[in-house]
Amino acid sequence: MENLFHLQFDIKQVNAISAEGLAHIGDGVYELLCRSWLCVHGDQTVKTLHRDTIALVKATKQAEFAEQLLPLLTEEEHAWFRRGKNAHISVPKSATREQYALATGLE
């Protein structure tokens, strides 16, 4: 049986993933990281965990995090960020186009 939790991609396979695909993967990873952090540091009720997760994963908050992170990135990391940022996905009403681009790049 194939182990779906032990993924090994070479750089060619990663580079072949579309910007939209990277955004899709990044969205899930980012939300999992936020949920994990909240479980360790946040309130323990389902209601507050959900509310606090939503507050962290919304595009406007991700854009804030991205602006703090960008000065710390290497040139290679900036290239990955730009690739994710250029994904052509519809912008939610709660964020500006610029905020959403930053959020997508962060994911």
Side-chain angles (χ1 to χ4, degrees), residues 24-34 107:
H24 176 72
I25 293 167
D27 185 49
V29 170
Y30 182 78
E31 184 165 343
L32 180 59
L33 289 171
C34 289
E107 292 172 347

Side-chain angles (χ1 to χ4, degrees), residues 7-26 80 83-84 87:
L7 302 174
Q8 291 185 323
F9 299 116
D10 63 36
I11 195 67
K12 281 178 126 177
Q13 290 172 304
V14 173
N15 286 333
I17 299 172
S18 69
E20 290 82 3
L22 290 175
H24 176 72
I25 293 167
W80 283 100
R83 184 172 172 207

Side-chain angles (χ1 to χ4, degrees), residues 75-91:
E75 189 175 316
E76 182 180 15
E77 291 165 338
H78 268 281
W80 283 100
F81 181 88
R82 282 190 301 276
R83 184 172 172 207
K85 185 174 128 176
N86 291 331
H88 299 289
I89 301 170
S90 59
V91 178

Side-chain angles (χ1 to χ4, degrees), residues 48-96:
T48 56
L49 286 170
H50 179 71
R51 183 197 65 219
D52 294 347
T53 299
I54 297 300
L56 289 174
V57 301
K58 65 183 182 179
T60 51
K61 191 64 170 177
Q62 286 184 26
E64 288 177 32
F65 290 147
E67 288 174 338
Q68 294 172 16
L69 183 66
L70 279 170
L72 307 174
L73 298 181
T74 66
E75 189 175 316
E76 182 180 15
E77 291 165 338
H78 268 281
W80 283 100
F81 181 88
R82 282 190 301 276
R83 184 172 172 207
K85 185 174 128 176
N86 291 331
H88 299 289
I89 301 170
S90 59
V91 178
K93 293 178 184 176
S94 62
T96 66

